[in-house]
Amino acid sequence: RPSLVLAATAGVRKVLGPDASVAEAGRRLSEDIRARAGARIDFVEARVLSGEDEARYEAAAVLHAASTADGAALVRPLRPSDIAGVFSLGGASAQFTQLGAPGRHHSESLPIGYKHFQAILDSKGGAAHLAEGGAAAVEAAYAEAVAGLADLPANRQRFIGAWIGIASTCFAAGALGLTLDKACCQGRSEYEQLCRAGAQGGADSQQPSPWHAVVAVRARIRERAPELCRAVAEAAGDRSAAGTTWNPVTDLSQVLAMRFILETMLDDDARVLFRRNWGGVRTNFVTGLAVEHLAGDSAA
């Protein structure tokens, strides 16, 4: 009989509200699952992760992945020890962990999710509006979405150094042609071609660097906005796309959310790498939880 650990993240935190106790929510959820599962499962623990815990587990997963031989090769020409931090993007939040000495990492979570940007685009008419307005429509929607995030900390010191982007930042990077990881392209052949073209255009086409300066990524976002609008318009009129899970408006929303992160959280001179596939290791909070439990068992 399997054991089960269930962890909920930003979507559940949002439903619970800012004053809810995540510990109490986890306890009640555990009781409910135990009652439903009966004898089929040996042990059930349910947690509603705080944003800081979610960020911490994601960073643990990246550090674990980068510590493998495959992972160390993927961050070259930098070394795993050169990684300054990890950031992720989801539908309802974004997580950041600034790495320091063991036990001295700083983790935080902010309510920056791509679904906020997608809601603004949808409220304007979605694909039809973008097809008609193009880059100007995207810029106006971005300004409106950012205005809705005005309660975030202003004039904060932005992160420096080399940062690893995971989760939906990778899908944004795939749409921008800024990753060497095919898993970030979601099977879209046009994104894969764009990423290959970007890699081949580097100074060393045999060993293209996966790292990009933040200022260059921001420029790429502005450059790609009209093309992404065209993709949205074409998909809206493409009957073959009907019934698929691919939504180019979601791609554009993820790109805009990442633009906000890069403009407000990371220094222009910082460098970023986007990757989902680490040679069999998934860099998400689930892996981080597993790493922590295994470490705890070894210590015991």
Side-chain angles (χ1 to χ4, degrees):
R1 293 180 298 178
S3 297
L4 174 67
V5 175
L6 178 66
T9 56
V12 172
R13 292 196 299 269
K14 186 174 181 180
V15 171
L16 291 174
D19 298 325
S21 166
V22 294
E24 175 62 16
R27 185 189 66 78
R28 293 174 60 183
L29 187 57
S30 294
E31 291 177 353
D32 183 63
I33 293 175
R34 286 194 183 97
R36 294 172 184 270
R40 290 176 295 170
I41 297 176
D42 284 325
F43 174 74
V44 174
E45 177 190 8
R47 302 184 192 178
V48 179
L49 299 180
S50 68
E52 292 74 15
D53 281 342
E54 187 178 352
R56 180 167 58 86
Y57 287 131
E58 289 175 341
V62 169
L63 290 175
H64 172 66
S67 71
T68 67
D70 287 341
L74 293 173
V75 301
R76 292 174 183 164
L78 301 185
R79 299 166 299 177
S81 59
D82 294 325
I83 298 172
V86 176
F87 69 109
S88 70
L89 172 68
S93 69
Q95 281 67 240
F96 306 86
T97 294
Q98 188 171 23
L99 302 176
R104 298 180 64 86
H105 306 326
H106 171 72
S107 298
E108 61 182 304
S109 178
L110 295 174
I112 308 169
Y114 71 81
K115 288 186 178 179
H116 169 71
F117 291 82
Q118 186 164 358
I120 298 296
L121 293 175
D122 287 340
S123 72
K124 300 297 184 182
H129 174 70
L130 292 170
E132 180 180 351
V138 172
E139 199 63 31
Y142 178 76
E144 183 174 337
V146 168
L149 297 171
D151 58 335
L152 294 176
N155 300 321
R156 60 175 292 152
Q157 185 175 0
R158 294 189 291 173
F159 297 125
I160 61 173
W163 283 68
I164 303 287
I166 62 172
S168 290
T169 69
C170 297
F171 296 142
L176 295 168
L178 293 176
T179 176
L180 302 180
D181 183 1
K182 289 177 62 176
C184 301
C185 295
Q186 307 179 78
R188 304 300 302 178
S189 60
E190 62 270 38
Y191 291 172
E192 292 181 16
Q193 292 171 6
L194 193 66
C195 289
R196 282 198 300 270
Q200 292 169 357
D204 183 356
S205 60
Q206 297 301 314
Q207 291 184 327
S209 174
W211 294 92
H212 303 276
V214 164
V215 67
V217 178
R218 289 168 53 186
R220 181 63 172 158
I221 291 173
R222 291 191 296 271
E223 175 188 326
R224 278 282 288 163
E227 298 174 54
L228 288 170
C229 285
R230 282 195 292 272
V232 169
E234 291 168 2
D238 183 1
R239 292 185 178 181
S240 66
T244 68
T245 57
W246 178 59
N247 183 352
V249 178
T250 300
D251 292 351
L252 182 57
S253 302
Q254 291 167 341
V255 166
L256 294 182
M258 190 167 74
R259 172 182 168 182
F260 182 76
I261 288 173
L262 297 180
E263 289 180 347
T264 58
M265 302 296 293
L266 295 176
D267 188 80
D268 288 353
D269 292 329
R271 286 176 288 176
V272 290
L273 178 154
F274 305 99
R275 177 160 284 275
R276 285 177 58 81
N277 184 353
W278 291 77
V281 179
R282 294 292 298 272
T283 48
N284 56 26
F285 73 89
V286 177
T287 302
L289 272 167
V291 168
E292 182 178 90
H293 278 282
L294 290 172
D297 291 342
S298 298

